[in-house]
Amino acid sequence: MTISTIKSRPIYPGLSPDLNARSNIIVCDKAGAAAVTELFSRADATFAKRSTVFIADALQETEAATARKDLAPATLEILPSLSAGIVRLREFLDNAPMGLRLYAAGTEPLIGSVVQAAADYGIDHLSIRTEHRGSLMRRVQCVHCKGFTENVTTNPVTCSHCGLTLFVRDHYSRRLAAFQGVCIDAENPGDVPPMEAIYQ
Amino acid sequence: MALIFKDETFRDDFTYKNSPATIRRFPFPFIEDQYRYSVNIEPHTPGPKGSVYEFTFDIDEHYVSEMRDRAMVLQEDPGRCQALPHMMTAQWDMLELVMVSLARDYPDLFTLHRDGAHWHWINKPLNIDQKFTFGEVNSLPYEPMEYVGRQIQGDFSLQDQRDGQLWMDAGIITSQADWSLDFDVGMNFFEWHAPVPLAHEAGVFERALKFLLNMQIGQPVRRLNWTMTINPRLDTSPENYPKWGKDRTTVTPENVGEKVHLRVELQGLFRLPRSNAILFSIRGYLMSLEQIVTVPKWGRRLPRVLKSLPPELIEYKGLARYRQTAIDWLEKYDDGAPTSPGGGPD
Amino acid sequence: MSGFPLRRVRVAEVEQVAARIKRFRFVDIDNAPLSQFSGGSHISVVMHSGDRLMRNPYSLMGSPTDTSSYQISVLHCGADSRGGSKFMHENVAVGSELEISQPLNLFPPVRLAKKHVLVAGGIGITPFMSMMNELDALRSDFELHYGVRSLEDGAYCKYLQSRYGSRVNVYRQDQGQMIPLDAILGEQRLGTHMYVCGPKPMIDWALQTAELQGWPQENLHSEQFSAPPPGKPFVVKLAKSGREIAVKGHQSILEALEEHGVDASFLCRGGACGQCETGVIACDGYIDHNDHFLSEAERVGGKKIMICMSRIQTGSITLDL
């Protein structure tokens, strides 16, 4: 769970099944797959049958086999990365009608990317059921060069585009699916505190 | 009084200064000697002649130079002006409100002829003469919000109203007190105020939102907000923080009066008729401490207020490095005499 | 701030548009232009009937960009009426002068929607008149499903069909036609929003049908103009002034306060806008929350009441006024 008093950061209340939806689209990573298994156990017998699960993560063959077993009888697709998973999700939503329910479970960048993509299809962020699992890593946008730094586990962090040392602010943009990174030593260049690994 | 527009800069050599008449009309935001957070919303009704409240939108001697600075910011970073696609009706609403107000309030400077959807806009100070079709984006050189935004002092944002929330889905923001439109666009009222300390817990934003959601057409409101800026720099955006952040370390007892500026925002809120959106205008006024103390009441009051700020606010407004230097300098102008209530000069 | 600024209008036209529905057209008393408005807006009309003062909300039906006049439709509610619609039908004619509020929109179309499905029952068609006007001008995708008792009872059926063609679907109860909502909702593209306006049972039915079809709450919208339901008389105690005000059976708390000259905040008077939210200090009865504003948790909490719509069944209530 991410506990936070940041007003701009979404709340991820945990997955609960919408038994009315005619189909369920679930995007998760390796850690989030466990939340999906639990979701299925809380729903009726046909819920999983109505579900399509995209695991957007690099899985070992044994992990993939376990996922297939745990998530049956849902339709399961394993995509090699988060970005591949989002491409697949968009393809799927291109032709989808109303009556589907979207779920996301995993790291905050995964949830954020799902919410961001869904917005293009007119899906309100509040109608997406979300659960945070796994690493606390963040996606950070450098407010100066606008570049995104992925999988950030420290604060401060070096911008992977312009090289400035960024303070990761507790301010989150749903549209960008990222936290804001602001130059930490703008007032006193070189005055940089040690990096702390606080988003492990 | 006919306005004489100054030729001045808000960057590099910083030649910006207020004339004596402009000093007198500065909207000094502190109505008592003690700092107290308040929402301080009041109806935006016409104020005294010559005051910044006289008209719907205030145009002053800095108009032409401010518009030149805005054009430079937009040239360097087009992301300072953004509108999500569903905001086009609100953009036209804003254009209409701005043009109608300016032409009515400053007939010597601006003219608007309307014949159905055929509009003819003349802006004399900026040498603009534009015929266009209201509602047709292609008849203007920019989208409507940017078009009028380049011709009016102050930053503007447009809020869509849906699901009992206000969503900042468009804006033209080039002279902001350290917040990023590019980052915040698309956020709701609570989200874009997330970095503000103390007020969330006090329930300030909940009450303010409820008030704004029920705002009516033709009943605009206003409030004042403030911060401090080193040098008369309009573009104190987070984007350019590496350029202006260093300024905060350059304040000395010798230059504090000249360098440190009080920055006051006259914020206006308007319900727009066709889009049901809310227009938020943020009209900034800058004045150096040197010029502030030319009004004895303000010279007495400002050091008293600066001493009473809560630490969270000092941090949030970025005053920590130079606040004490400013207080030490200002106290020379505080003879301890009582001050009259309200913000205006005696 | 209590209430709203009013403007005087003159009735320029009255037309019987259906069995019990009249259309009224208002112009400014000095022929000054009226405000433009957004689709789904309503105005409040102030009516002085004898010593009673009524303020009823009516949806604006004309073109949102027409500043020369406003149009509303009023259904004669008959015996159930508290008097507003009866007054409009029987006492208001061409040349009558009335006071109206500025337009207020509590039922706007969601501009982010990919498509809009509008579901109307009877007089519930009115907010959709301006909404369709706006959506059509914006070239937004929409369809209307309009249930009427008969063609004599349903207003504007022909007009709507001729103006919007196949986007308008009329269902006649007298011919056994029902709105096939399951089928309609079953084949909508992602990002569609549904809006429903009509009698309360119809709204409940439509919202429930959509929910059972797996439509998210966020895509569902409804508006219902209901008068404050009558009940037994009771007493309101005002904590700040120490006064006690009797609320009659046909009155709302707000109306009783106004009758006794107590200044209270209000806007929509239909339990939707939240402006009249008032703190409850004590209550020895059971509050009938008739508003659409307070959350379930707030109702259970018992600390707030919307005085334009809600009342108590018995006993007395102490308000933070």
Side-chain angles (χ1 to χ4, degrees):
Chain A
M1 277 293 278
T2 52
I3 297 164
S4 155
T5 54
I6 311 168
K7 303 287 178 193
S8 55
R9 184 190 209 169
I11 294 164
Y12 311 114
L15 300 187
S16 63
D18 171 6
L19 299 175
N20 293 322
R22 286 176 300 168
S23 63
N24 310 303
I25 314 305
I26 305 166
V27 185
C28 64
D29 54 22
K30 210 188 294 183
V36 180
T37 310
E38 289 165 32
L39 169 72
F40 285 173
S41 72
R42 284 195 289 272
D44 61 42
T46 61
F47 184 87
K49 270 191 198 160
R50 295 194 300 274
S51 302
T52 302
V53 183
F54 299 136
I55 303 185
D57 211 340
L59 296 192
Q60 306 281 341
E61 195 39 54
T62 51
E63 290 169 330
T66 309
R68 284 196 189 92
K69 185 164 64 68
D70 290 350
L71 298 174
T75 305
L76 176 64
E77 289 184 36
I78 298 170
L79 290 310
S81 64
L82 173 55
S83 55
I86 296 302
V87 170
R88 183 71 190 94
L89 172 67
R90 284 179 175 277
E91 257 172 34
F92 192 95
L93 296 179
D94 274 334
N95 299 306
M98 287 298 289
L100 73 77
R101 178 66 71 171
L102 186 56
Y103 299 80
T107 62
E108 205 159 11
L110 177 133
I111 298 172
S113 301
V114 170
V115 170
Q116 182 187 37
D120 291 340
Y121 296 85
I123 300 177
D124 190 285
H125 67 278
L126 292 175
S127 70
I128 303 170
R129 305 206 173 169
T130 57
E131 179 159 339
H132 182 264
R133 286 282 177 119
S135 164
L136 294 171
M137 67 187 187
R138 294 176 169 191
R139 192 160 182 257
V140 174
Q141 189 201 33
C142 172
V143 77
H144 314 294
C145 79
K146 305 294 179 185
F148 292 93
T149 302
E150 307 287 343
N151 306 335
V152 171
T153 55
T154 66
N155 196 357
V157 64
T158 305
C159 174
S160 61
H161 299 264
C162 69
L164 284 176
T165 309
L166 303 176
F167 172 70
V168 182
R169 252 180 127 193
D170 277 346
H171 192 28
Y172 181 85
S173 162
R174 195 180 306 112
R175 188 179 67 91
L176 301 169
F179 285 85
Q180 190 176 53
V182 181
C183 179
I184 201 166
D185 58 342
E187 298 187 14
N188 240 351
D191 181 11
V192 176
M195 291 192 180
E196 285 185 78
I198 57 174
Y199 310 127
Q200 293 279 10
Chain B
M1 183 194 67
L3 276 174
I4 297 163
F5 297 112
K6 303 182 83 172
D7 183 5
E8 59 197 355
T9 59
F10 302 87
R11 53 180 73 201
D12 306 322
D13 57 348
F14 296 111
T15 60
Y16 169 93
K17 268 209 164 32
N18 293 295
S19 67
T22 306
I23 293 175
R24 297 282 302 176
R25 72 199 292 278
F26 183 74
F28 189 76
F30 305 111
I31 55 168
E32 55 184 353
D33 291 352
Q34 171 85 20
Y35 174 78
R36 232 187 281 265
Y37 186 88
S38 72
V39 183
N40 59 42
I41 294 178
E42 60 177 6
H44 187 35
T45 46
K49 197 168 161 44
S51 76
V52 299
Y53 308 116
E54 182 178 2
F55 299 123
T56 304
F57 300 107
D58 183 43
I59 299 291
D60 68 11
E61 62 186 5
H62 307 297
Y63 174 62
V64 173
S65 294
E66 276 192 43
M67 293 301 97
R68 188 167 54 211
D69 194 75
R70 165 158 299 163
M72 291 188 317
V73 173
L74 290 171
Q75 174 80 30
E76 289 161 10
D77 181 2
R80 303 295 189 84
C81 176
Q82 295 196 37
L84 301 183
H86 62 281
M87 298 303 284
M88 191 50 79
T89 306
Q91 288 197 44
W92 286 109
D93 268 340
M94 170 183 164
L95 176 137
E96 178 173 31
L97 177 66
V98 170
M99 286 189 177
V100 168
S101 303
L102 291 184
R104 178 193 61 220
D105 296 338
Y106 302 91
D108 296 344
L109 305 179
F110 308 99
T111 317
L112 178 65
H113 299 286
R114 290 189 283 178
D115 176 14
H118 299 289
W119 289 31
H120 184 190
W121 168 248
I122 300 167
N123 177 334
K124 285 187 200 148
L126 297 183
N127 282 315
I128 293 170
D129 186 312
Q130 177 78 46
K131 289 180 176 151
F132 64 100
T133 308
F134 189 86
E136 268 184 34
V137 178
N138 293 335
S139 66
L140 284 173
Y142 304 98
E143 289 194 357
M145 176 184 70
E146 180 167 0
Y147 183 74
V148 284
R150 284 173 175 267
Q151 300 181 49
I152 182 164
Q153 284 171 279
D155 287 348
F156 290 83
S157 68
L158 286 165
Q159 279 67 229
D160 191 27
Q161 182 162 336
R162 57 180 191 270
D163 305 327
Q165 256 296 354
L166 292 175
W167 303 84
M168 183 161 53
D169 287 343
I172 176 165
I173 308 286
T174 64
S175 48
Q176 67 269 48
D178 202 9
W179 63 279
S180 167
L181 173 75
D182 182 54
F183 194 78
D184 287 3
V185 72
M187 289 189 188
N188 71 33
F189 189 76
F190 296 144
E191 291 166 351
W192 87 71
H193 283 114
V196 183
L198 305 173
H200 289 275
E201 289 66 27
V204 167
F205 292 120
E206 260 176 56
R207 285 198 300 278
L209 175 64
K210 186 182 154 190
F211 176 85
L212 296 176
L213 290 172
N214 283 338
M215 266 188 70
Q216 295 184 72
I217 299 167
Q219 306 285 308
V221 296
R222 65 178 174 236
R223 67 180 290 256
L224 294 177
N225 197 9
W226 69 276
T227 186
M228 295 179 107
T229 301
I230 309 307
N231 299 324
R233 187 191 291 275
L234 287 176
D235 178 17
T236 48
S237 60
E239 279 82 357
N240 283 334
Y241 182 41
K243 289 184 193 162
W244 56 264
K246 293 190 268 291
D247 294 356
R248 286 178 173 165
T249 62
T250 61
V251 178
T252 65
E254 290 71 39
N255 67 18
V256 56
E258 182 194 353
K259 266 196 177 285
V260 175
H261 286 65
L262 185 59
R263 177 194 194 99
V264 177
E265 295 177 351
L266 169 54
Q267 304 179 338
L269 291 144
F270 304 81
R271 168 74 68 195
L272 298 177
R274 269 177 304 252
S275 57
N276 200 40
I278 286 187
L279 174 69
F280 184 31
S281 67
I282 312 156
R283 170 72 163 88
Y285 297 85
L286 284 167
M287 193 150 75
S288 64
L289 299 189
E290 244 167 29
Q291 293 204 308
I292 286 175
V293 298
T294 61
V295 174
K297 174 177 165 182
W298 297 346
R300 290 185 185 108
R301 180 170 289 167
L302 188 55
R304 300 177 193 177
V305 171
L306 289 180
K307 276 193 276 188
S308 68
L309 296 176
E312 294 89 343
L313 213 69
I314 296 169
E315 171 67 26
Y316 171 63
K317 292 187 189 279
L319 314 179
R321 287 186 194 272
Y322 56 84
R323 185 183 67 120
Q324 195 54 51
T325 312
I327 292 171
D328 293 344
W329 186 85
L330 283 165
E331 279 193 317
K332 289 182 294 200
Y333 299 89
D334 182 5
D335 57 9
T339 56
S340 60
D346 288 322
Chain C
M1 191 195 314
S2 66
F4 37 68
L6 297 171
R7 76 187 294 159
R8 282 197 81 74
V9 291
R10 189 175 59 246
V11 177
E13 190 188 352
V14 182
E15 185 195 2
Q16 188 86 36
V17 291
R20 293 181 299 143
I21 300 174
K22 277 185 179 176
R23 176 177 66 89
F24 296 83
R25 193 159 66 80
F26 302 143
V27 295
D28 181 84
I29 199 100
D30 303 315
N31 293 313
L34 301 162
S35 297
Q36 300 190 29
F37 59 93
S38 51
S41 294
H42 70 268
I43 52 169
S44 287
V45 177
V46 182
M47 290 167 275
H48 298 272
S49 171
D51 59 350
R52 277 192 67 193
L53 175 69
M54 289 171 291
R55 295 179 174 90
N56 282 18
Y58 296 104
S59 295
L60 287 171
M61 300 176 13
S63 160
T65 56
D66 177 10
T67 58
S68 66
S69 66
Y70 284 162
Q71 298 182 55
I72 62 168
S73 292
V74 181
L75 170 72
H76 198 314
C77 298
D80 296 342
S81 171
R82 295 165 72 248
S85 72
K86 187 171 186 293
F87 180 85
M88 288 296 294
H89 269 258
E90 294 171 7
N91 300 59
V92 176
V94 171
S96 299
E97 290 183 10
L98 291 164
E99 285 176 315
I100 63 168
S101 71
Q102 281 281 38
L104 180 71
N105 199 343
L106 298 173
F107 196 41
V110 174
R111 289 167 188 277
L112 288 172
K114 304 290 181 190
K115 187 182 173 184
H116 310 266
V117 171
L118 317 176
V119 180
I123 193 68
I125 189 66
T126 54
F128 296 130
M129 303 286 287
S130 65
M131 217 189 267
M132 283 187 283
N133 212 311
E134 176 177 298
L135 294 173
D136 191 43
L138 293 170
R139 297 188 185 84
S140 299
D141 193 6
F142 72 89
E143 60 189 53
L144 171 73
H145 299 276
Y146 178 21
V148 299
R149 276 193 206 162
S150 67
L151 283 184
E152 293 70 46
D153 288 288
Y156 312 114
C157 294
K158 282 213 177 85
Y159 163 78
L160 290 170
Q161 281 174 322
S162 70
R163 177 157 180 184
Y164 300 113
S166 60
R167 287 176 287 180
V168 169
N169 305 274
V170 175
Y171 306 90
R172 295 174 53 181
Q173 220 177 58
D174 62 342
Q175 298 209 335
Q177 297 169 346
M178 293 282 292
I179 300 178
L181 200 54
D182 269 314
I184 293 162
L185 298 183
E187 48 198 46
Q188 297 297 340
R189 63 176 291 196
L190 209 49
T192 303
H193 284 240
M194 183 189 83
Y195 310 79
V196 55
C197 185
K200 188 170 188 306
M202 180 197 186
I203 291 176
D204 293 344
W205 164 75
L207 295 178
Q208 198 194 7
T209 304
E211 193 182 324
L212 290 175
Q213 288 269 355
W215 283 48
Q217 289 297 323
E218 290 75 20
N219 295 51
L220 306 176
H221 315 275
S222 63
E223 178 164 72
Q224 187 200 3
F225 287 134
S226 42
K232 291 181 190 153
F234 59 97
V235 171
V236 170
K237 296 178 187 168
L238 307 184
K240 285 179 187 157
S241 64
R243 293 178 66 179
E244 294 198 2
I245 308 279
V247 181
K248 295 172 196 148
H250 68 272
Q251 266 182 330
S252 67
I253 298 176
L254 178 60
E255 286 168 334
L257 296 178
E258 287 172 342
E259 186 183 301
H260 290 87
V262 179
D263 190 31
S265 187
F266 69 89
L267 205 53
C268 78
R269 303 178 82 93
C273 77
Q275 193 70 31
C276 73
E277 179 185 302
T278 303
V280 175
I281 289 177
C283 178
D284 61 7
Y286 177 83
I287 302 178
D288 275 332
H289 288 290
N290 299 313
D291 63 278
H292 318 286
F293 185 81
L294 293 179
S295 68
E296 205 44 53
E298 285 172 320
R299 289 173 184 212
V300 172
K303 299 280 181 221
K304 293 175 180 175
I305 186 169
M306 312 306 293
I307 55 173
C308 71
M309 286 295 283
S310 302
R311 58 195 303 120
I312 58 171
Q313 287 178 353
T314 52
S316 71
I317 185 167
T318 307
L319 298 179
D320 187 18
L321 281 175

